Amino acid sequence: MTGGTMKMLLFLFWGFLFSAVSQAQEIPTAPSRGQPWPMPMSYKAGGQLNTIDAATFRFATQGNDCDILREAYIRYREAAFKQHSERLLVVGPLRFRQNNLRFMQQLRGQENALLQQLSVQVSTPCEGRIYPSLESDESYALDVSGGQATLKAQEVWGALWGLETFVQLVYTTNSGEFVVNDTSITDKPRFVHRGMLLDTGRHFLPKRTLLQNLDAMAQNKLNVFHWHIVDDPSFPYESRAFPELSNKGSFYPGSHIYTPSDIQEIIEFARLRGIRVMAEFDTPGHARSWEEGQKGFLSECYSGGTRNGMYGPADPTKNSTFTFLKEFFTEVASVFPDQYIHVGGDEVNFTCWQSNPAVGDFMQKMGFGDNYAKLEEYYMQNLLDIINSLGRGYMIWQEVIDNGAKVREDTVVMVWKGGWQKEMANVTKQGYHTLLSSCWYLNLITYGEDWKTFYTCDPHAFDGTDAQKSLVMGGELAMWGEYVDDTNVLPLSWPRGSAVAERLWSPQDVNSPVLAEPRLVEQRCRMVRRGIPAQPISGAGGCPEEFGGN
């Protein structure tokens, strides 16, 4: 073998090895450009571009107008045309050729239509202080073609989601122009309840963070902020009727509380974005912080027949308990306009009740024997009667049903434990409307691309009839606060929460993580550009702009 032949073989060998190693490396997923998230029900995009002059473009209301639309135009103009740089992300020769082909077509003088306005038409009047609800029509139709763009919606809530979709379609070319492809969209959500739970009872979250998170929710078409506002460690809700609850139950009464004006600002901020604010005041368990400002609310625990200084769940044996709850929830109903109040009911430990002689006497008087699930049922039924008397609906956690309690037929049950498929089948078989949360606990952190697990969990993936599945109202992602506060709640929530948002909005057959990933990469970068510190979804890559904290 000659030296030249040996060199050639070595060259080929090292070339083959380098190629194999290179292919083994993770290649970042290239983001899409101008693709919507979540995926609409019907989405058709053409190759023809419509150029937008950001200085002169406007949103134009045709017909019914209101503050919700006017405020939205200001927000979405900023979102669509905020100046940002776009780098050509070259990932493989095919992507490079595709981008350069588009750029070369522009250089050759291909004419783009000039898009000067988006015409917005809402069929139903929307003036006045109206709020989104379960019955809201969130559908819309969006068409962009040949320099013309129209957005039509039956109600203003659909128009908001259409505006969000429109600004997601806007992107910049390599030459710096703002453009939109010819696009035709007909859209509506798959589920009516698409929520996010935030826990402010374990670590306080400042108002500014809650507002920022509402913006992130709107960017992903989530429509319910489930506010788990108090818990065992703290009571940050400032009550007008019972100010001692926060004075003695919050971490720092001078700063770590939500005043009535704070709450109204949060509710209004959410309303303008089509988001409901559903408050949760969890009892009879998870209520240790209530006792500091409402002495006698909790059951006293005993050891060997003697009080041991510990407290258990709320005390159902006292009339004063339900008198207090009536007055307290009357205030809550006046503060929070949503049609639902979440009353909790989870993780009720019967040990303290079992140790208390007065509770034992009450059990015998009521004919409950030693079945403490009956006592829980008694408490919950009384509480639901109070909520019903206030003209509000109610949601509970699944344990109430698991313990055999019979509650009002119109109760909505939230499923959050493992083995959720069996639980969903059980709850819907009993005729209760249901929400799923089990597979979307975002506070449970794992290494790697866990968004794919969230993305592939479907609320209808249980053994049940069509009638049972029609009782599933949707679901919620949950960010519990044991190890979450203002420093990390937003990066941990987004864009992992975006995966849940698409599952709850888009058609059931939109379920491929491979197809979703380029759009999710783009959505993450959009959120970063719009002021949300959304974390990366993969091990390599990046956005044209880094998060600036704005």
Side-chain angles (χ1 to χ4, degrees):
M1 182 179 297
T2 66
T5 304
M6 176 64 73
K7 289 180 181 178
M8 178 61 68
L9 288 174
L10 285 172
F11 177 80
L12 291 174
F13 169 76
W14 286 112
F16 171 81
L17 182 61
F18 178 80
S19 176
V21 171
S22 297
Q23 291 177 21
Q25 300 297 314
E26 179 181 1
I27 299 176
T29 299
S32 59
R33 303 183 80 181
Q35 297 287 307
W37 189 280
M39 177 60 73
M41 180 179 68
S42 173
Y43 168 61
K44 299 176 182 177
Q48 181 61 44
L49 297 180
N50 299 266
T51 300
I52 301 175
D53 182 351
T56 60
F57 180 87
R58 68 191 188 103
F59 299 100
T61 301
Q62 306 295 323
N64 291 309
D65 192 15
C66 57
D67 62 332
I68 298 173
L69 285 176
R70 293 188 293 270
E71 292 284 341
Y73 295 161
I74 296 171
R75 294 196 310 275
Y76 282 119
R77 182 175 185 81
E78 171 77 4
F81 305 122
K82 182 178 180 180
Q83 293 301 315
H84 57 276
S85 63
E86 287 276 358
R87 290 199 304 264
L88 178 62
L89 299 179
V90 181
V91 183
L94 177 61
R95 180 73 175 175
F96 180 84
R97 286 197 299 270
Q98 288 173 335
N99 285 337
N100 275 275
L101 177 60
R102 179 182 296 167
F103 186 53
M104 291 305 295
Q105 287 173 340
Q106 293 173 7
L107 289 179
R108 292 187 193 118
Q110 178 175 318
E111 289 292 328
N112 294 338
L114 179 63
L115 181 61
Q116 297 180 302
Q117 73 173 32
L118 173 64
S119 174
V120 180
Q121 304 172 29
V122 178
S123 300
T124 305
C126 56
E127 275 292 8
R129 191 163 295 279
I130 61 172
Y131 291 90
S133 72
L134 271 178
E135 292 73 37
S136 295
D137 188 332
E138 299 177 286
S139 64
Y140 67 92
L142 177 63
D143 287 287
V144 181
S145 180
Q148 303 294 318
T150 60
L151 169 60
K152 297 180 180 180
Q154 184 65 32
E155 296 183 7
V156 68
W157 316 116
L160 286 177
W161 302 138
L163 287 167
E164 174 62 41
T165 299
F166 176 78
V167 301
Q168 292 183 4
L169 300 181
V170 176
Y171 64 99
T172 56
T173 65
N174 300 320
S175 58
E177 293 178 293
F178 288 105
V179 296
V180 180
N181 290 75
D182 277 3
T183 305
S184 177
I185 290 174
T186 303
D187 202 10
K188 66 178 181 180
R190 181 181 171 203
F191 293 105
V192 296
H193 186 117
R194 308 177 305 282
M196 177 175 186
L197 179 150
L198 283 182
D199 169 13
T200 58
R202 292 180 173 89
H203 284 96
F204 182 79
L205 296 176
K207 178 181 67 177
R208 57 174 167 73
T209 300
L210 298 183
L211 298 179
Q212 197 174 11
N213 190 69
L214 286 167
D215 260 335
M217 289 175 63
Q219 292 175 33
N220 292 275
K221 298 187 175 73
L222 292 174
N223 67 348
V224 181
F225 170 30
H226 176 170
W227 193 354
H228 186 89
I229 193 166
V230 303
D231 209 290
D232 281 327
S234 77
F235 198 104
Y237 169 78
E238 185 178 64
S239 166
R240 287 192 175 100
F242 302 96
E244 291 301 285
L245 286 169
S246 59
N247 286 340
K248 295 183 177 179
S250 64
F251 290 129
Y252 304 103
S255 58
H256 287 48
I257 60 171
Y258 303 105
T259 67
S261 61
D262 289 336
I263 293 170
Q264 289 310 306
E265 183 179 348
I266 290 167
I267 291 171
E268 177 65 5
F269 193 91
R271 181 185 78 90
L272 293 173
R273 287 155 181 77
I275 298 173
R276 299 162 45 204
V277 179
M278 180 183 69
E280 179 185 355
F281 291 90
D282 193 357
T283 65
H286 288 279
R288 180 64 185 85
S289 62
W290 299 56
E291 179 69 18
E292 301 304 321
Q294 186 64 25
K295 292 297 184 182
F297 178 62
L298 299 184
S299 300
E300 294 178 322
C301 305
Y302 285 69
S303 297
T306 304
R307 287 170 50 186
N308 60 17
M310 304 295 288
Y311 293 93
D315 191 339
T317 71
K318 300 176 182 176
N319 290 333
S320 60
T321 296
F322 298 106
T323 301
F324 160 69
L325 289 171
K326 171 75 172 181
E327 188 173 352
F328 178 77
F329 278 103
T330 297
E331 177 187 290
V332 168
S334 71
V335 171
F336 293 91
D338 194 66
Q339 66 203 99
Y340 280 94
I341 298 173
H342 202 301
V343 296
D346 62 316
E347 297 181 319
V348 180
N349 190 326
F350 296 158
T351 303
C352 186
W353 279 347
Q354 291 167 341
S355 75
N356 187 306
V359 174
D361 292 343
F362 184 81
M363 292 280 290
Q364 298 307 311
K365 176 184 174 182
M366 298 297 294
F368 296 159
D370 59 357
N371 185 358
Y372 284 85
K374 285 290 185 182
L375 184 59
E376 179 187 30
E377 179 180 337
Y378 171 82
Y379 175 90
M380 292 304 300
Q381 193 62 62
N382 275 277
L383 178 55
L384 297 186
D385 287 344
I386 290 172
I387 304 300
N388 183 63
S389 72
L390 300 172
R392 298 303 171 86
Y394 18 75
M395 296 192 182
I396 60 174
W397 295 107
Q398 70 178 74
E399 284 95 326
V400 181
I401 304 301
D402 292 346
N403 291 337
K406 299 299 181 184
V407 295
R408 299 179 63 93
E409 293 180 356
D410 51 352
T411 303
V412 179
V413 180
M414 287 195 67
V415 173
W416 70 275
K417 290 188 173 183
W420 64 266
Q421 293 92 339
K422 183 178 180 180
E423 185 73 21
M424 294 284 280
N426 174 49
V427 173
T428 55
K429 190 174 183 179
Q430 295 183 55
Y432 295 115
H433 281 89
T434 311
L435 294 168
L436 177 64
S437 190
S438 300
C439 42
W440 297 319
Y441 269 43
L442 271 63
N443 55 292
L444 301 178
I445 307 302
T446 58
Y447 192 75
E449 300 179 355
D450 58 354
W451 71 269
K452 295 178 180 179
T453 303
F454 305 143
Y455 190 80
T456 52
C457 176
D458 193 285
H460 280 168
F462 66 93
D463 186 12
T465 65
D466 289 344
Q468 285 178 259
K469 293 181 180 181
S470 70
L471 294 173
V472 180
M473 297 162 54
E476 293 185 355
L477 61 97
M479 182 57 74
W480 292 97
E482 286 90 344
Y483 302 98
V484 175
D485 69 1
D486 187 42
T487 64
N488 61 351
V489 63
L490 292 173
L492 288 179
S493 298
W494 308 105
R496 295 160 76 230
S498 303
V500 185
E502 179 149 295
R503 178 55 48 244
L504 293 173
W505 179 282
S506 301
Q508 189 170 11
D509 59 0
V510 178
N511 55 19
S512 167
V514 174
L515 296 178
E517 188 164 355
R519 288 187 301 107
L520 186 55
V521 172
E522 181 182 16
Q523 174 72 349
R524 182 253 169 169
C525 290
R526 267 195 297 253
M527 295 182 74
V528 168
R529 189 169 67 241
R530 291 168 67 175
I532 306 300
Q535 68 181 20
I537 67 165
S538 59
C543 298
E545 312 86 1
E546 296 302 321
F547 177 68
N550 53 323

